[in-house]
Amino acid sequence: MKKLVSISDCSKEDILHIVDLAEQFEKNPNPHLLDGKLVATLFFEPSTRTRLSFETAVQRLGGRVIGFSDAATSSSSKGETLHDTIKMVSNYVDLIVMRHPVEGAARYASEITNVPVINAGDGSNQHPTQTMLDLYSIKKTQGTLENLTISMVGDMKYGRTVHSLLMAMRYFNPTYHFVAPPELKLPPQYPEYMRANNIKFDEREDMNSILAETDILYMTRVQQERFTDLVEYEKVKNTYTLRNSMLEGTKDNLRILHPLPRINEIAADVDANPKAYYFEQARNGVFARQAVICSILGLV
Ligand code: CP
């Protein structure tokens, strides 16, 4: 891989390589692999986990980070174009990590620079490094990526982590349940994609109906920031809340994932359940991002 802007660009071998590397980084931290390397983290949208885990990943490998966490503190607030920002930052660094609200922004950035670009989330489109850490988390908890039943609950429309993960799993024969209110169903290109790739899936509104057969329960936040009409957000924001009592009768191997942040779609009483895995999942982000960075820079 020379860049990572969409998970659809990754082969099965690419994905398995990153998952294996993540495991190696977790077992054997290599504190000098990025000595002398400089990475830019350009966050035009808010972030806690993605930016901080990227920065942790780089610094724990001996590299250094420059960047901004708020576009208002960059010259984009004065009207500088994304084109010019990328051209400028390319003069300074070995790798660019970028989050941007516009779908396709990371692809655009990658086409105007020779510096490798990693997409840290572009609007509702893609979040491929989240997918790599999700896959690593699934492999760690299930022992395999193959033949799993994955239920995704919440915002299927705007949830970029949902979109990336459903595409990545095409190599591993998943069975999907997508649970959402009608307003937040998957955009039509994703059912089309799954049909074209022979992925088994259904779409429904009732979360309780899928719990007993699920291996991975992937909860998601309703993405308030993507709504143009907040009345519409208010209508759907509390559609689903997973409570501890609902986990009775679920499979022993069930694990609950969530890209985070959560609002109220997972009740606090779930946190102590051994099936809750979302905080460990976020920790896995450091190892998965170390794997992606070092792979793209040709260091492993
Ligand atoms: N999962 C994720 O992208 O979290 P942040 O928005 O905090 O980076």
Side-chain angles (χ1 to χ4, degrees):
M1 294 192 305
K2 300 284 183 229
K3 59 186 176 188
L4 181 55
V5 298
S6 170
I7 204 75
S8 61
D9 297 336
C10 298
S11 66
K12 183 174 186 178
E13 290 68 33
D14 291 334
I15 288 172
L16 292 175
H17 181 57
I18 295 298
V19 170
D20 286 348
L21 277 177
E23 186 177 3
Q24 288 175 35
F25 277 116
E26 182 166 12
K27 283 186 188 153
N28 301 306
N30 187 333
H32 299 295
L33 210 51
L34 287 181
D35 278 355
K37 300 289 185 199
L38 197 52
V39 175
T41 55
L42 311 182
F43 277 68
F44 294 86
E45 269 194 340
S47 168
T48 295
R49 275 146 296 275
T50 308
R51 186 174 66 82
L52 295 182
S53 64
F54 261 115
E55 296 188 0
T56 302
V58 171
Q59 296 195 36
R60 284 197 187 280
L61 291 172
R64 286 172 295 156
V65 178
I66 63 165
F68 51 82
S69 57
D70 179 356
T73 65
S74 80
S75 284
S76 64
S77 65
K78 303 176 202 164
E80 186 165 54
T81 62
L82 179 60
H83 174 277
D84 288 2
T85 302
I86 295 298
K87 283 285 186 196
M88 283 309 308
V89 174
S90 299
N91 291 324
Y92 307 144
V93 298
D94 302 291
L95 176 71
I96 294 172
V97 177
M98 187 178 84
R99 171 171 288 188
H100 199 281
V102 175
E103 294 186 18
R107 175 81 60 198
Y108 174 69
S110 76
E111 288 169 357
I112 57 176
T113 178
N114 292 324
V115 173
V117 172
I118 297 178
N119 181 4
D122 60 328
S124 302
N125 184 35
Q126 285 268 320
H127 195 346
T129 63
Q130 176 72 43
T131 300
M132 293 301 189
L133 77 90
D134 291 345
L135 293 169
Y136 181 45
S137 299
I138 293 169
K139 177 82 186 303
K140 269 176 83 173
T141 60
Q142 306 297 315
T144 180
L145 292 171
E146 303 278 351
N147 306 317
L148 297 169
T149 297
I150 301 177
S151 298
M152 296 184 152
V153 178
D155 188 343
M156 305 296 106
K157 181 175 181 181
Y158 298 116
R160 58 193 174 198
T161 66
V162 168
H163 304 156
S164 293
L165 184 57
L166 80 81
M167 293 173 126
M169 287 298 290
R170 69 191 181 282
Y171 299 122
F172 305 108
N173 191 35
T175 299
Y176 276 120
H177 302 300
F178 297 98
V179 182
E183 298 87 342
L184 296 177
K185 283 180 66 171
L186 285 168
Q189 65 267 31
Y190 296 106
E192 280 167 25
Y193 180 90
M194 288 186 284
R195 284 187 204 101
N197 285 278
N198 296 316
I199 296 173
K200 299 180 285 296
F201 74 98
D202 62 36
E203 297 178 272
R204 55 179 86 192
E205 291 181 51
D206 176 22
M207 173 163 61
N208 289 303
S209 63
I210 49 82
L211 291 175
E213 63 186 271
T214 294
D215 299 308
I216 292 292
L217 179 59
Y218 196 97
M219 300 297 296
T220 66
R221 171 179 69 93
V222 177
Q223 309 261 307
Q224 178 180 0
E225 64 274 28
R226 310 285 174 220
F227 284 75
T228 49
D229 180 352
L230 283 184
V231 174
E232 293 302 311
Y233 169 71
E234 291 294 324
K235 275 191 214 162
V236 293
K237 69 176 186 182
N238 291 324
T239 310
Y240 304 108
T241 302
L242 181 68
R243 300 186 191 285
N244 197 41
S245 58
M246 295 163 69
L247 296 169
E248 284 172 22
T250 56
K251 293 169 80 169
D252 290 344
N253 65 305
L254 170 79
R255 291 295 177 274
I256 303 153
L257 271 56
H258 190 312
L260 304 176
R262 72 171 153 183
I263 307 301
N264 53 13
E265 57 278 357
I266 301 178
D269 69 358
V270 178
D271 293 359
N273 191 306
K275 294 176 180 175
Y277 194 74
Y278 26 93
F279 294 123
E280 290 94 331
Q281 178 190 0
R283 179 174 178 270
N284 291 336
V286 173
F287 313 121
R289 289 180 170 120
Q290 287 177 326
V292 170
I293 290 166
C294 291
S295 180
I296 284 175
L297 291 177
L299 300 173
V300 283

